[in-house]
Amino acid sequence: MRALRFASCLALLALAAVVQPSEAIVLSQDFDSGSLNVAASTISGNTVNLVGRKTWTQSGYSSYYRWVHFKASDVAGLQPQFKISSTQFLGNLSDHRYLYSYDQLQWNYFDQCYVSGSYYYFRNNQAFTGNEIYVAYSAPYPFKRTVRHVASVAASPFVCPTASGGGDLIIGCTSGGTDELGRSIAPNDLYGFKITDPSSSHAKVKILLAGGNHSCETPGNHALEGMIDFLLGDSPEAVGLRRRADFYVYPQVNPDGRVAGYYRSSVENPDKDYNRYWDNPTGFTDMSTVRNAMILDTGGDVDYLFDFHGMFGPWSRPPYFETRSSDANSAFALALAELEPGIEQSISSGTPGMLRIWGLTGLHAEHSFTPEFGCHPGTLEARLDEMGENYARALYRAIAPYWNWIPGDATGDNRVNEADAAVLAANWGQGGANWEMGDFNEDGLIGAADASILAANWGAIAETSPVAEPTAIALLATLAIIVFPRRR
């Protein structure tokens, strides 16, 4: 009997540890990209009642919220239930899942996320193990991550300053200010840099990449980072793009808005949509700085423009990109459809103040797109990176057919020699291949037919006739390069 009472006491203690009141929890939004109406949020027993911060710019939606990102302290050993209005969220939370993180690096879905009545609830099946957690609507991308990423890519030999910037890749500074909560937002650096192969003398396509236009559409920044990292990698597509294109990158065009946790606006103009004034940025100091830099850096002329954004549902709609009807069947759009068949098109004429639309005249963009990435269930950072990479691959497929390749020239240096033979050897037997891997007959497979093309054009140099018959020594050297690595 005594043992039974002892076991019952242990069970009650365990239950108390799980459902104990959470009044000790402290909520905060005072950090980079934090956003919550902390003053209106309350704690009742084990339930944390959250109130979204209303930062919409359109008067008709002033009572709604979207971006939520906060810190909860003193949660170790607790298992609170979070609750927030689903009717005041502009969208549908029924199939959404909030995220939490202990370190702001690794993000995890809450175990239980559901709508009941007019509220959205989320909680875990176990107590928190850390004393602090960060909670967010979607995977955040704080401005400090932009700073770290720019610092890391600056070391690449394929990254250089633009005409408007310096060696630190800074093109200007924001105005800073005070948000509606009274928080002081210090001025932040505005970044711009160019990705290219400085050793390449080819005429190059100009491609502009921008992110962070709408303050907290964070999936777009994750995808843009994935694309940038891909462009600086060693894949044949990346090598080819760097040789044949100049990428002008503006990774965070509205850093003050991101730091302050606004959804679509900036600290300087909290009641105005930041993506509606690119055609006339009077009163937008930061936008004017970036806009002027874009014009100076590119010479006011680009071939492609991509303004990376994020969508907030409904999740029945897949990721998409907005463009004009004239680009619906462009080479890029068709290539992306092959690589990412789940990404849809949205044909839209837009408004004059959108970066995508202003770019058509202000930068004379031949092709202009607004990629929209979402935080669909299961779509976290790795998947967003992958989609960004495939945007780059689609660009390669769209641009490469217009390059004046010499048959056998895999490296794109306008000559056929041992370097091309080495590329062919390294990729021998591979399927799904492209020209820069050695697929000179473009059948998707690297083999003897490609070696024959290389041999037939051995010694060719741009604007000269190929040497019809390579010397016996050269042929033997080529075959040795190709065969012996395979035997090893």
Side-chain angles (χ1 to χ4, degrees), residues 261-460:
Y262 284 120
Y263 172 53
R264 285 191 164 192
S265 58
S266 65
V267 174
E268 189 176 29
N269 292 284
D271 59 342
K272 295 180 179 179
D273 189 320
Y274 200 79
N275 195 31
R276 297 295 185 273
Y277 296 90
W278 286 91
D279 60 331
N280 182 19
T282 302
F284 287 81
T285 306
D286 309 343
M287 186 187 298
S288 296
T289 299
V290 178
R291 182 180 184 268
N292 292 338
M294 290 176 173
I295 295 172
L296 175 63
D297 298 341
T298 64
D301 180 72
V302 299
D303 296 282
Y304 288 84
L305 183 152
F306 294 88
D307 179 23
F308 285 71
H309 282 249
M311 57 184 288
F312 270 64
W315 306 129
S316 57
R317 182 179 187 179
Y320 62 96
F321 63 86
E322 291 187 340
T323 190
R324 302 170 298 168
S325 57
S326 58
D327 271 324
N329 293 308
S330 64
F332 168 79
L334 296 176
L336 186 64
E338 292 179 354
L339 292 164
E340 289 280 358
I343 294 180
E344 295 184 346
Q345 294 189 44
S346 176
I347 306 304
S348 168
S349 57
T351 62
M354 291 179 175
L355 176 55
R356 170 174 66 92
I357 304 302
W358 167 74
L360 295 171
T361 54
L363 296 173
H364 299 97
E366 184 176 354
H367 308 282
S368 192
F369 304 91
T370 301
E372 298 275 2
F373 302 89
C375 46
H376 299 72
T379 302
L380 291 178
E381 187 173 333
R383 176 64 182 127
L384 292 168
D385 286 346
E386 181 183 32
M387 285 191 279
E389 293 170 4
N390 281 331
Y391 265 76
R393 290 191 176 97
L395 268 173
Y396 173 86
R397 295 187 181 188
I399 298 170
Y402 299 96
W403 298 344
N404 186 24
W405 293 110
I406 303 171
D409 178 19
T411 62
D413 64 354
N414 289 329
R415 61 188 66 242
V416 181
N417 54 23
E418 290 85 355
D420 306 297
V423 172
L424 185 70
N427 296 293
W428 189 266
Q430 286 197 33
N434 57 43
W435 187 285
E436 291 193 319
M437 295 171 69
D439 181 22
F440 304 126
N441 67 346
E442 298 184 303
D443 64 352
L445 179 67
I446 298 177
D450 304 298
S452 297
I453 293 173
L454 183 144
N457 291 277
W458 189 266

Side-chain angles (χ1 to χ4, degrees), residues 127-200:
F128 291 114
T129 58
N131 196 47
E132 290 184 348
I133 60 165
Y134 292 84
V135 179
Y137 175 86
S138 62
Y141 197 103
F143 177 62
K144 63 183 179 183
R145 178 160 178 165
T146 299
V147 176
R148 289 197 302 266
H149 190 240
V150 171
S152 68
V153 303
S156 170
F158 305 115
V159 169
C160 60
T162 61
S164 64
D168 52 8
L169 309 184
I170 295 173
I171 60 173
C173 188
T174 67
S175 57
T178 303
D179 69 8
E180 90 284 3
L181 300 174
R183 298 183 302 181
S184 178
I185 308 300
N188 293 287
D189 291 327
L190 290 162
Y191 293 102
F193 56 90
K194 185 164 70 171
I195 297 176
T196 191
D197 184 347
S199 69
S200 174

Side-chain angles (χ1 to χ4, degrees), residues 26-41 50-55 65 67-73 104 133-135 142 179-185 216 256-263:
V26 178
L27 303 177
S28 172
Q29 61 167 352
D30 294 330
F31 56 92
D32 188 345
S33 78
S35 190
L36 181 73
N37 190 341
V38 172
S41 299
L50 305 170
V51 177
R53 183 170 162 221
K54 303 171 180 64
T55 61
Y65 74 93
W67 177 242
V68 175
H69 185 199
F70 65 92
K71 179 174 70 174
S73 303
Q104 294 184 284
I133 60 165
Y134 292 84
V135 179
D179 69 8
E180 90 284 3
L181 300 174
R183 298 183 302 181
S184 178
I185 308 300
C216 284
D256 287 0
R258 176 64 54 87
V259 172
Y262 284 120
Y263 172 53

